[in-house]
Amino acid sequence: MIKVGILGASGYAGGELLRLCAAHSAFTPILLFGDSQAGEAVAAAHPHLALAYPGVRFERYAPERLAEIDLLFACMPHGESQKIAPDILARGVPFVDLGADFRLDDAATFARWYGEAHEQPDLLAEFVYGLPEIARDRIRGAKLVAAPGCYPTSAILALKPLVDAGLIEKTGIIVDAASGVTGAGRAAKAGTHFCTVDESLAAYGLIDHRHTAEMEMGTGGEVLFTPHLAPMNRGILATCYANAARDMDAGAPLDTLKAAYEGEPFVHVSGALPATKWTLGSNAVHLTARYDPRTRRVVAIAALDNLVKGAAGQMIQCANLMLGLDETEGLARIGVYP
Amino acid sequence: MIKVGILGASGYAGGELLRLCAAHSAFTPILLFGDSQAGEAVAAAHPHLALAYPGVRFERYAPERLAEIDLLFACMPHGESQKIAPDILARGVPFVDLGADFRLDDAATFARWYGEAHEQPDLLAEFVYGLPEIARDRIRGAKLVAAPGCYPTSAILALKPLVDAGLIEKTGIIVDAASGVTGAGRAAKAGTHFCTVDESLAAYGLIDHRHTAEMEMGTGGEVLFTPHLAPMNRGILATCYANAARDMDAGAPLDTLKAAYEGEPFVHVSGALPATKWTLGSNAVHLTARYDPRTRRVVAIAALDNLVKGAAGQMIQCANLMLGLDETEGLARIGVYP
Amino acid sequence: MIKVGILGASGYAGGELLRLCAAHSAFTPILLFGDSQAGEAVAAAHPHLALAYPGVRFERYAPERLAEIDLLFACMPHGESQKIAPDILARGVPFVDLGADFRLDDAATFARWYGEAHEQPDLLAEFVYGLPEIARDRIRGAKLVAAPGCYPTSAILALKPLVDAGLIEKTGIIVDAASGVTGAGRAAKAGTHFCTVDESLAAYGLIDHRHTAEMEMGTGGEVLFTPHLAPMNRGILATCYANAARDMDAGAPLDTLKAAYEGEPFVHVSGALPATKWTLGSNAVHLTARYDPRTRRVVAIAALDNLVKGAAGQMIQCANLMLGLDETEGLARIGVYP
Amino acid sequence: MIKVGILGASGYAGGELLRLCAAHSAFTPILLFGDSQAGEAVAAAHPHLALAYPGVRFERYAPERLAEIDLLFACMPHGESQKIAPDILARGVPFVDLGADFRLDDAATFARWYGEAHEQPDLLAEFVYGLPEIARDRIRGAKLVAAPGCYPTSAILALKPLVDAGLIEKTGIIVDAASGVTGAGRAAKAGTHFCTVDESLAAYGLIDHRHTAEMEMGTGGEVLFTPHLAPMNRGILATCYANAARDMDAGAPLDTLKAAYEGEPFVHVSGALPATKWTLGSNAVHLTARYDPRTRRVVAIAALDNLVKGAAGQMIQCANLMLGLDETEGLARIGVYP
């Protein structure tokens, strides 16, 4: 049994970690930190978990409690991890952070996109960017992992092999993506009210969404990113456009993705246009790509579940690698469909 | 490894059996019968299964193929199981049927509600009604099990303990329930078109829905049943009304349900009003009940996933019992939420 | 031009009044009261109204402003109308109130269901219950009208003619109904978050929902009422059950409803099972009913748009009658479908 | 009274024409052609229309019946209008066609994108492309109008003023758009089954969707177009990307759109990011645009209701112009929200 602590356990990503841990042969959540819910039963925040975590309650975080656990997950708003990272490092507990604080390589880029100075710039280099399909070897054995954002996971997986193979130009990349409403978090706001979102589609964060920085870091390209909110619980669909770097067959981008992800347990590459629904509750990513000789553009599309491969599932996948377990332990490759 | 065959593998319940078997330590689907899809890859009908069943194809059914398997599941329209049941009995393969053919106790009731004579009336007594919480001992070791319908599962679990405890009268029961659209099956019809169903709620099958017969058999009462179609993929919510048989505390029905299902792995009884969403993808049933002294009525409510506890999950649960496995093997108690 | 003031103009019912007034030949909203939004443009709260009310802003309510208008609509939480009713009476401005304060006949019933004493018990008799199909003559020429709740509108229209014709017993009525999420109001709460509601169905307000009192007043019967929240923006479907008072043909309840509502501009009675979707944005009610000789029950079903016939549309219909206009002015009989 | 005939009256666009005509002071549908529904009541196909068109039935089309009407609308699959256009021209009845047959300027482009030769190439020049905001003067008084596709309406309105003003380059335009499911038509198919679409987002028609040709004709640019299917009944959101033709202020594209559409009754231009939901049931288009100096791209976004401004509403708007009526007659500028 590996004793797990979760910071931010009362949110959507926290709930998803609890769901996934319940099916994991080793990870056993024993400390659930959720300051505003402290004292409440897990089932109050996560009614679906009533049968799996009877009697478990949220607690207030305190650094000394890190001594009780073997692994720490954090799902907190950006800015929070910076505050507690020194404690975590001091105690040496393996740590997977879903926050944005330690994803970027350098503090200047963080300051530019997040509009505030990084409080722990020296620690940025300590964290590995936790995208296993890209950085498996670095994650294996790492102590500190910053799990990618949901949008960057989809865009980087769709685009990076095409950049690396020289099929597309690094400038002029466009990522047009949409997310289900869980991506907006659990807070009840006008923008997450059922009646605002249901039967509607709209863009948000036009031109300056913070995930742009991660996409540029992960692909090595210049990216214009437009997120949209779609009337569904989960799922990200990223439709990515790039200028072709050279002539190629219409099928060349697809072949490149197939070769890049051969043997990957959670990546499915096919000529079919992927639907987010295929991935519900699973750690799978479905990818496709095609070249349009008429406009000399490459289109690459990724579909995933933003709370699993885009959040909690990827955190588990990273933790499995960090602790030397089977990378796929506790993670479904099959979505709940329909 | 227990070799599994599935009749009707290309439908929604069939796909759900395949999803659940992929997480089951022993059940391995090796023969997928789907006559109209014969020759096609599993992923053509079930794109979410691409990563779990690469290369597997649907086949045409032939009785001699029963020799290749250790367990047979069938998810076919009513009337189909009657035709092949003699073959299955002759070969002795354990069989869990989701069809309506062998659920009822007697042929006359079948004829009355289904509007046609039963072709194999002598076989009705051979099948056990597969509701483990009610008939666990009979299912254990049975060779032939008829899995209940989705609506009856919810209504019987909510009502039977109240009848048995003498809290409610057997006459005058009303079951007002709603189902997600998967309950209407995979066939593309005007009534399952997204634009017919989305943002809408309507009753169907008023007064004479066939599941009434099962509810009456399972509860021992007289039931008026009104099903509705709700704009969601999955889920059944059954709100059941009954005349109180005697004075009681407002909490007596809830206490009775709690006592009846204590220790049940998949039944959660609580004072909270259950939402179908808590059960998505899981084999869980959430129940509540209350007595209204003003109108002298008992209200009992059940929520479940019609494709899991209402179909494929219950089939797996029955098969686990039939074959002497852990009853919960391969089945989640936690839904995918939100 | 009839100058209209709206209290609570920033909520959903207020926005719907603005939409309907924009299509009305006489009603012109000139004062929009919304204290918490005072100073903001209409389009900030109601982006869909941008093209119809450019430059109009919400204002703070003050009694002296009643002198500027010919008609007042109020869409406020219960309790608010009691406070300002004396002012309104003093000034004599025709008033249609959607709040619950003046719907019930007597203060004792109000106190019982709302858990607090009525502050203006003497005024209860001054208000007419604004259900035109039941009380058209009293509404015509009235100065003070309390518009019914959305659930009571559906249940009373479905049941009252059956009670009046002696087809059903007054005791033992059950109203099992579901509403779209607009019925829960505009406030962002955990219970109205998209991810709580979408793909889910659940009951709420079990046994003691306040609308029960209105249903009992309007039908003259004893009612057990169970509301549910359905994953859709708008719509109420009420499935009503009653004990038959005598033997009858299966079609007798339908014939009774047809006779009762012959010539009604907004009521459609048919053998078809109505869907809420047929009514979106319109003031229509679709009704059906049937007798089940087996269980000796009558089932009657109503579908309507909770924000139109269940709120703003009915308010306009009442105001048309009060001011001597064509009752149908400004109101669609056709929903936006699909 | 202007007597209206509708070809394809049983489909979604046909039903929407009937809804809009019911609110139109002059257009009175008297002949509803729907060959496969001939003999059926309107309410069988369009239950929401029961109160407005009681007793009206669909009929079989016959050319001689054109003599009975003053105006003809057609909503048929592409290819159908080519067959009957000569009859219509011969009789001289004003005709608004929603089919794709007569939208494009030249037969070669039609053949390239539709994969078949045009049967009436000589008639292409007879039809005016019915986008009033672009070609109002040509529509006024025209006898033959080809109403634009839903996607092209959104993309052309968002992009054309930017091209005309020299803000964006004509090459390298990308239109990434999503439509509600009504856009896929009324036919029940696997792809329109509720359970395929609900809670899902996917692209379709990658690279070679036929509406590309219309967008290129309407904008004068080279367009790569990717449509997506979104889980909602109605609505198109088009997010359009173009290379900036020169340096400009971030707000220059928005100012250009505002100037271009000043005084337009149905176009709303604002800095707010538009949601499709604002437009439900209305003929409105909401537009925004911005320049990103970092990537030197202009992003322009359009939201509309595909069945109104994208189909039936635009047809009415064109017919109003053709017959010299008020252009806005019968058309709402306000959506039904929420």
Side-chain angles (χ1 to χ4, degrees), chain D residues 49-83:
Chain D
L49 299 180
L51 279 164
Y53 295 94
V56 180
R57 294 183 176 279
F58 296 110
E59 306 184 39
R60 242 167 233 298
Y61 172 73
E64 58 273 19
R65 309 228 38 194
L66 296 174
E68 303 172 33
I69 56 176
D70 306 314
L71 174 64
L72 179 66
F73 292 119
C75 314
M76 300 187 295
H78 89 265
E80 295 301 309
S81 297
Q82 296 178 46
K83 295 176 191 159

mmCIF file of all heavy atoms in Angstrom, chain D residues 49-83:
data_model
loop_
_atom_site.group_PDB
_atom_site.id
_atom_site.type_symbol
_atom_site.label_atom_id
_atom_site.label_comp_id
_atom_site.label_asym_id
_atom_site.label_seq_id
_atom_site.Cartn_x
_atom_site.Cartn_y
_atom_site.Cartn_z
ATOM 1 N N LEU D 49 -46.370 22.680 -34.020
ATOM 2 C CA LEU D 49 -47.196 23.552 -34.861
ATOM 3 C C LEU D 49 -48.685 23.240 -34.760
ATOM 4 O O LEU D 49 -49.505 23.846 -35.465
ATOM 5 C CB LEU D 49 -46.750 23.437 -36.326
ATOM 6 C CG LEU D 49 -45.304 23.854 -36.628
ATOM 7 C CD1 LEU D 49 -45.004 23.688 -38.109
ATOM 8 C CD2 LEU D 49 -45.057 25.302 -36.205
ATOM 9 N N ALA D 50 -49.036 22.300 -33.875
ATOM 10 C CA ALA D 50 -50.428 21.836 -33.811
ATOM 11 C C ALA D 50 -51.415 22.980 -33.619
ATOM 12 O O ALA D 50 -52.492 22.994 -34.231
ATOM 13 C CB ALA D 50 -50.577 20.821 -32.669
ATOM 14 N N LEU D 51 -51.075 23.935 -32.787
ATOM 15 C CA LEU D 51 -52.027 25.014 -32.508
ATOM 16 C C LEU D 51 -52.102 26.046 -33.636
ATOM 17 O O LEU D 51 -53.056 26.819 -33.701
ATOM 18 C CB LEU D 51 -51.652 25.726 -31.195
ATOM 19 C CG LEU D 51 -52.118 25.030 -29.910
ATOM 20 C CD1 LEU D 51 -51.381 25.583 -28.703
ATOM 21 C CD2 LEU D 51 -53.628 25.223 -29.710
ATOM 22 N N ALA D 52 -51.108 26.077 -34.529
ATOM 23 C CA ALA D 52 -51.091 27.125 -35.556
ATOM 24 C C ALA D 52 -51.591 26.631 -36.907
ATOM 25 O O ALA D 52 -52.089 27.417 -37.702
ATOM 26 C CB ALA D 52 -49.681 27.685 -35.705
ATOM 27 N N TYR D 53 -51.415 25.359 -37.165
ATOM 28 C CA TYR D 53 -51.826 24.823 -38.467
ATOM 29 C C TYR D 53 -52.730 23.608 -38.290
ATOM 30 O O TYR D 53 -52.452 22.530 -38.814
ATOM 31 C CB TYR D 53 -50.597 24.435 -39.304
ATOM 32 C CG TYR D 53 -49.724 25.613 -39.694
ATOM 33 C CD1 TYR D 53 -48.627 25.979 -38.920
ATOM 34 C CD2 TYR D 53 -50.004 26.366 -40.830
ATOM 35 C CE1 TYR D 53 -47.827 27.068 -39.275
ATOM 36 C CE2 TYR D 53 -49.213 27.450 -41.190
ATOM 37 C CZ TYR D 53 -48.124 27.791 -40.408
ATOM 38 O OH TYR D 53 -47.348 28.863 -40.771
ATOM 39 N N PRO D 54 -53.825 23.752 -37.556
ATOM 40 C CA PRO D 54 -54.701 22.592 -37.354
ATOM 41 C C PRO D 54 -55.308 22.174 -38.686
ATOM 42 O O PRO D 54 -55.759 23.009 -39.467
ATOM 43 C CB PRO D 54 -55.771 23.124 -36.402
ATOM 44 C CG PRO D 54 -55.783 24.598 -36.608
ATOM 45 C CD PRO D 54 -54.379 24.974 -36.965
ATOM 46 N N GLY D 55 -55.258 20.887 -38.961
ATOM 47 C CA GLY D 55 -55.926 20.368 -40.155
ATOM 48 C C GLY D 55 -55.155 20.485 -41.445
ATOM 49 O O GLY D 55 -55.549 19.905 -42.456
ATOM 50 N N VAL D 56 -54.021 21.209 -41.451
ATOM 51 C CA VAL D 56 -53.242 21.327 -42.694
ATOM 52 C C VAL D 56 -52.454 20.045 -42.942
ATOM 53 O O VAL D 56 -51.921 19.451 -42.009
ATOM 54 C CB VAL D 56 -52.292 22.547 -42.618
ATOM 55 C CG1 VAL D 56 -51.478 22.678 -43.894
ATOM 56 C CG2 VAL D 56 -53.087 23.812 -42.329
ATOM 57 N N ARG D 57 -52.390 19.617 -44.199
ATOM 58 C CA ARG D 57 -51.697 18.368 -44.545
ATOM 59 C C ARG D 57 -50.624 18.587 -45.619
ATOM 60 O O ARG D 57 -50.705 19.517 -46.401
ATOM 61 C CB ARG D 57 -52.719 17.334 -45.071
ATOM 62 C CG ARG D 57 -53.692 16.914 -44.004
ATOM 63 C CD ARG D 57 -54.685 15.849 -44.406
ATOM 64 N NE ARG D 57 -55.470 15.527 -43.218
ATOM 65 C CZ ARG D 57 -55.061 14.709 -42.241
ATOM 66 N NH1 ARG D 57 -53.897 14.094 -42.342
ATOM 67 N NH2 ARG D 57 -55.803 14.499 -41.174
ATOM 68 N N PHE D 58 -49.645 17.706 -45.617
ATOM 69 C CA PHE D 58 -48.629 17.733 -46.666
ATOM 70 C C PHE D 58 -49.229 17.178 -47.959
ATOM 71 O O PHE D 58 -50.110 16.314 -47.921
ATOM 72 C CB PHE D 58 -47.415 16.885 -46.267
ATOM 73 C CG PHE D 58 -46.703 17.417 -45.064
ATOM 74 C CD1 PHE D 58 -46.749 16.737 -43.847
ATOM 75 C CD2 PHE D 58 -45.988 18.600 -45.126
ATOM 76 C CE1 PHE D 58 -46.104 17.224 -42.728
ATOM 77 C CE2 PHE D 58 -45.336 19.089 -43.998
ATOM 78 C CZ PHE D 58 -45.388 18.404 -42.804
ATOM 79 N N GLU D 59 -48.681 17.682 -49.074
ATOM 80 C CA GLU D 59 -49.180 17.211 -50.372
ATOM 81 C C GLU D 59 -48.010 16.842 -51.275
ATOM 82 O O GLU D 59 -46.873 17.217 -51.029
ATOM 83 C CB GLU D 59 -49.993 18.333 -51.049
ATOM 84 C CG GLU D 59 -51.101 18.870 -50.172
ATOM 85 C CD GLU D 59 -51.945 19.910 -50.904
ATOM 86 O OE1 GLU D 59 -52.204 19.723 -52.111
ATOM 87 O OE2 GLU D 59 -52.322 20.902 -50.256
ATOM 88 N N ARG D 60 -48.342 16.128 -52.328
ATOM 89 C CA ARG D 60 -47.349 15.803 -53.330
ATOM 90 C C ARG D 60 -47.114 17.010 -54.248
ATOM 91 O O ARG D 60 -48.068 17.699 -54.606
ATOM 92 C CB ARG D 60 -47.861 14.630 -54.181
ATOM 93 C CG ARG D 60 -47.017 13.416 -54.100
ATOM 94 C CD ARG D 60 -47.664 12.188 -54.682
ATOM 95 N NE ARG D 60 -47.630 11.133 -53.689
ATOM 96 C CZ ARG D 60 -46.496 10.619 -53.203
ATOM 97 N NH1 ARG D 60 -45.311 11.042 -53.642
ATOM 98 N NH2 ARG D 60 -46.536 9.689 -52.284
ATOM 99 N N TYR D 61 -45.874 17.222 -54.626
ATOM 100 C CA TYR D 61 -45.570 18.338 -55.521
ATOM 101 C C TYR D 61 -46.008 18.040 -56.939
ATOM 102 O O TYR D 61 -45.845 16.919 -57.431
ATOM 103 C CB TYR D 61 -44.058 18.615 -55.514
ATOM 104 C CG TYR D 61 -43.634 19.621 -56.554
ATOM 105 C CD1 TYR D 61 -43.921 20.976 -56.390
ATOM 106 C CD2 TYR D 61 -42.986 19.215 -57.712
ATOM 107 C CE1 TYR D 61 -43.548 21.896 -57.347
ATOM 108 C CE2 TYR D 61 -42.604 20.134 -58.685
ATOM 109 C CZ TYR D 61 -42.896 21.474 -58.491
ATOM 110 O OH TYR D 61 -42.529 22.390 -59.445
ATOM 111 N N ALA D 62 -46.568 19.037 -57.587
ATOM 112 C CA ALA D 62 -46.846 18.943 -59.014
ATOM 113 C C ALA D 62 -46.673 20.346 -59.578
ATOM 114 O O ALA D 62 -47.130 21.328 -58.976
ATOM 115 C CB ALA D 62 -48.272 18.442 -59.259
ATOM 116 N N PRO D 63 -45.993 20.483 -60.714
ATOM 117 C CA PRO D 63 -45.646 21.810 -61.233
ATOM 118 C C PRO D 63 -46.856 22.712 -61.428
ATOM 119 O O PRO D 63 -46.770 23.929 -61.229
ATOM 120 C CB PRO D 63 -44.956 21.521 -62.572
ATOM 121 C CG PRO D 63 -44.707 20.069 -62.636
ATOM 122 C CD PRO D 63 -45.455 19.390 -61.556
ATOM 123 N N GLU D 64 -47.997 22.141 -61.824
ATOM 124 C CA GLU D 64 -49.151 22.996 -62.116
ATOM 125 C C GLU D 64 -49.666 23.711 -60.873
ATOM 126 O O GLU D 64 -50.339 24.729 -60.969
ATOM 127 C CB GLU D 64 -50.286 22.190 -62.782
ATOM 128 C CG GLU D 64 -50.802 21.023 -61.981
ATOM 129 C CD GLU D 64 -50.011 19.741 -62.221
ATOM 130 O OE1 GLU D 64 -48.861 19.821 -62.709
ATOM 131 O OE2 GLU D 64 -50.541 18.660 -61.900
ATOM 132 N N ARG D 65 -49.308 23.210 -59.705
ATOM 133 C CA ARG D 65 -49.784 23.838 -58.481
ATOM 134 C C ARG D 65 -49.076 25.168 -58.212
ATOM 135 O O ARG D 65 -49.490 25.928 -57.342
ATOM 136 C CB ARG D 65 -49.579 22.875 -57.311
ATOM 137 C CG ARG D 65 -50.169 21.501 -57.651
ATOM 138 C CD ARG D 65 -51.021 20.915 -56.632
ATOM 139 N NE ARG D 65 -51.886 21.785 -55.904
ATOM 140 C CZ ARG D 65 -52.492 21.402 -54.770
ATOM 141 N NH1 ARG D 65 -52.270 20.186 -54.307
ATOM 142 N NH2 ARG D 65 -53.296 22.216 -54.141
ATOM 143 N N LEU D 66 -47.983 25.393 -58.931
ATOM 144 C CA LEU D 66 -47.277 26.665 -58.754
ATOM 145 C C LEU D 66 -48.187 27.840 -59.105
ATOM 146 O O LEU D 66 -47.956 28.968 -58.643
ATOM 147 C CB LEU D 66 -46.022 26.697 -59.636
ATOM 148 C CG LEU D 66 -44.944 25.650 -59.297
ATOM 149 C CD1 LEU D 66 -43.823 25.683 -60.332
ATOM 150 C CD2 LEU D 66 -44.382 25.900 -57.906
ATOM 151 N N ALA D 67 -49.211 27.588 -59.905
ATOM 152 C CA ALA D 67 -50.130 28.666 -60.287
ATOM 153 C C ALA D 67 -50.938 29.174 -59.089
ATOM 154 O O ALA D 67 -51.484 30.279 -59.116
ATOM 155 C CB ALA D 67 -51.075 28.170 -61.378
ATOM 156 N N GLU D 68 -50.987 28.362 -58.033
ATOM 157 C CA GLU D 68 -51.814 28.744 -56.883
ATOM 158 C C GLU D 68 -51.099 29.671 -55.902
ATOM 159 O O GLU D 68 -51.719 30.166 -54.971
ATOM 160 C CB GLU D 68 -52.273 27.483 -56.128
ATOM 161 C CG GLU D 68 -53.038 26.491 -56.990
ATOM 162 C CD GLU D 68 -53.297 25.172 -56.249
ATOM 163 O OE1 GLU D 68 -53.478 25.186 -55.011
ATOM 164 O OE2 GLU D 68 -53.284 24.127 -56.920
ATOM 165 N N ILE D 69 -49.806 29.835 -56.084
ATOM 166 C CA ILE D 69 -49.041 30.554 -55.048
ATOM 167 C C ILE D 69 -48.353 31.810 -55.585
ATOM 168 O O ILE D 69 -48.148 31.967 -56.788
ATOM 169 C CB ILE D 69 -47.975 29.643 -54.402
ATOM 170 C CG1 ILE D 69 -47.047 29.066 -55.476
ATOM 171 C CG2 ILE D 69 -48.657 28.549 -53.581
ATOM 172 C CD1 ILE D 69 -45.925 28.242 -54.929
ATOM 173 N N ASP D 70 -47.998 32.696 -54.650
ATOM 174 C CA ASP D 70 -47.331 33.959 -54.984
ATOM 175 C C ASP D 70 -45.839 33.921 -54.660
ATOM 176 O O ASP D 70 -45.110 34.866 -54.989
ATOM 177 C CB ASP D 70 -47.944 35.094 -54.152
ATOM 178 C CG ASP D 70 -49.442 35.165 -54.292
ATOM 179 O OD1 ASP D 70 -49.940 35.084 -55.433
ATOM 180 O OD2 ASP D 70 -50.140 35.258 -53.254
ATOM 181 N N LEU D 71 -45.416 32.857 -53.973
ATOM 182 C CA LEU D 71 -44.035 32.798 -53.477
ATOM 183 C C LEU D 71 -43.719 31.343 -53.178
ATOM 184 O O LEU D 71 -44.542 30.640 -52.588
ATOM 185 C CB LEU D 71 -43.926 33.633 -52.185
ATOM 186 C CG LEU D 71 -42.623 33.609 -51.395
ATOM 187 C CD1 LEU D 71 -41.471 34.200 -52.193
ATOM 188 C CD2 LEU D 71 -42.787 34.383 -50.081
ATOM 189 N N LEU D 72 -42.529 30.923 -53.588
ATOM 190 C CA LEU D 72 -42.141 29.533 -53.345
ATOM 191 C C LEU D 72 -40.825 29.481 -52.566
ATOM 192 O O LEU D 72 -39.843 30.128 -52.938
ATOM 193 C CB LEU D 72 -41.970 28.793 -54.685
ATOM 194 C CG LEU D 72 -41.545 27.323 -54.583
ATOM 195 C CD1 LEU D 72 -42.635 26.464 -53.937
ATOM 196 C CD2 LEU D 72 -41.181 26.766 -55.963
ATOM 197 N N PHE D 73 -40.848 28.701 -51.495
ATOM 198 C CA PHE D 73 -39.626 28.387 -50.761
ATOM 199 C C PHE D 73 -39.281 26.922 -51.007
ATOM 200 O O PHE D 73 -40.192 26.077 -51.031
ATOM 201 C CB PHE D 73 -39.831 28.585 -49.254
ATOM 202 C CG PHE D 73 -40.025 30.005 -48.806
ATOM 203 C CD1 PHE D 73 -41.201 30.396 -48.172
ATOM 204 C CD2 PHE D 73 -39.026 30.948 -48.987
ATOM 205 C CE1 PHE D 73 -41.373 31.702 -47.728
ATOM 206 C CE2 PHE D 73 -39.192 32.269 -48.542
ATOM 207 C CZ PHE D 73 -40.367 32.642 -47.919
ATOM 208 N N ALA D 74 -37.994 26.614 -51.116
ATOM 209 C CA ALA D 74 -37.600 25.207 -51.243
ATOM 210 C C ALA D 74 -36.477 24.889 -50.269
ATOM 211 O O ALA D 74 -35.502 25.645 -50.162
ATOM 212 C CB ALA D 74 -37.147 24.894 -52.659
ATOM 213 N N CYS D 75 -36.644 23.792 -49.552
ATOM 214 C CA CYS D 75 -35.639 23.308 -48.590
ATOM 215 C C CYS D 75 -35.409 21.839 -48.903
ATOM 216 O O CYS D 75 -35.944 20.955 -48.234
ATOM 217 C CB CYS D 75 -36.142 23.441 -47.163
ATOM 218 S SG CYS D 75 -36.904 25.002 -46.752
ATOM 219 N N MET D 76 -34.644 21.585 -49.933
ATOM 220 C CA MET D 76 -34.473 20.205 -50.381
ATOM 221 C C MET D 76 -32.994 19.858 -50.478
ATOM 222 O O MET D 76 -32.145 20.742 -50.556
ATOM 223 C CB MET D 76 -35.140 20.049 -51.749
ATOM 224 C CG MET D 76 -36.651 20.365 -51.709
ATOM 225 S SD MET D 76 -37.458 19.995 -53.268
ATOM 226 C CE MET D 76 -36.651 21.202 -54.322
ATOM 227 N N PRO D 77 -32.686 18.579 -50.507
ATOM 228 C CA PRO D 77 -31.291 18.159 -50.678
ATOM 229 C C PRO D 77 -30.741 18.690 -52.005
ATOM 230 O O PRO D 77 -31.501 18.883 -52.956
ATOM 231 C CB PRO D 77 -31.373 16.633 -50.707
ATOM 232 C CG PRO D 77 -32.677 16.289 -50.073
ATOM 233 C CD PRO D 77 -33.591 17.438 -50.355
ATOM 234 N N HIS D 78 -29.446 18.906 -52.065
ATOM 235 C CA HIS D 78 -28.889 19.452 -53.303
ATOM 236 C C HIS D 78 -29.156 18.484 -54.447
ATOM 237 O O HIS D 78 -29.191 17.268 -54.262
ATOM 238 C CB HIS D 78 -27.403 19.778 -53.146
ATOM 239 C CG HIS D 78 -26.481 18.653 -53.472
ATOM 240 N ND1 HIS D 78 -25.988 17.802 -52.524
ATOM 241 C CD2 HIS D 78 -25.969 18.228 -54.648
ATOM 242 C CE1 HIS D 78 -25.219 16.918 -53.095
ATOM 243 N NE2 HIS D 78 -25.186 17.138 -54.371
ATOM 244 N N GLY D 79 -29.369 19.050 -55.599
ATOM 245 C CA GLY D 79 -29.713 18.255 -56.771
ATOM 246 C C GLY D 79 -31.190 18.335 -57.111
ATOM 247 O O GLY D 79 -31.571 18.228 -58.283
ATOM 248 N N GLU D 80 -32.021 18.546 -56.119
ATOM 249 C CA GLU D 80 -33.470 18.555 -56.351
ATOM 250 C C GLU D 80 -33.933 19.833 -57.041
ATOM 251 O O GLU D 80 -34.810 19.794 -57.905
ATOM 252 C CB GLU D 80 -34.217 18.393 -55.020
ATOM 253 C CG GLU D 80 -33.986 17.060 -54.330
ATOM 254 C CD GLU D 80 -34.398 15.887 -55.196
ATOM 255 O OE1 GLU D 80 -35.528 15.910 -55.707
ATOM 256 O OE2 GLU D 80 -33.565 14.972 -55.392
ATOM 257 N N SER D 81 -33.345 20.952 -56.677
ATOM 258 C CA SER D 81 -33.802 22.219 -57.258
ATOM 259 C C SER D 81 -33.478 22.293 -58.745
ATOM 260 O O SER D 81 -34.213 22.893 -59.520
ATOM 261 C CB SER D 81 -33.148 23.399 -56.536
ATOM 262 O OG SER D 81 -33.534 23.433 -55.200
ATOM 263 N N GLN D 82 -32.360 21.695 -59.124
ATOM 264 C CA GLN D 82 -32.010 21.699 -60.548
ATOM 265 C C GLN D 82 -33.116 21.093 -61.405
ATOM 266 O O GLN D 82 -33.341 21.510 -62.535
ATOM 267 C CB GLN D 82 -30.725 20.895 -60.772
ATOM 268 C CG GLN D 82 -29.510 21.489 -60.096
ATOM 269 C CD GLN D 82 -28.265 20.636 -60.298
ATOM 270 O OE1 GLN D 82 -27.980 20.196 -61.407
ATOM 271 N NE2 GLN D 82 -27.530 20.402 -59.221
ATOM 272 N N LYS D 83 -33.782 20.109 -60.838
ATOM 273 C CA LYS D 83 -34.799 19.399 -61.627
ATOM 274 C C LYS D 83 -36.047 20.241 -61.870
ATOM 275 O O LYS D 83 -36.672 20.120 -62.916
ATOM 276 C CB LYS D 83 -35.193 18.108 -60.889
ATOM 277 C CG LYS D 83 -34.051 17.106 -60.782
ATOM 278 C CD LYS D 83 -34.473 15.894 -59.971
ATOM 279 C CE LYS D 83 -33.253 15.020 -59.631
ATOM 280 N NZ LYS D 83 -33.504 14.140 -58.483
#
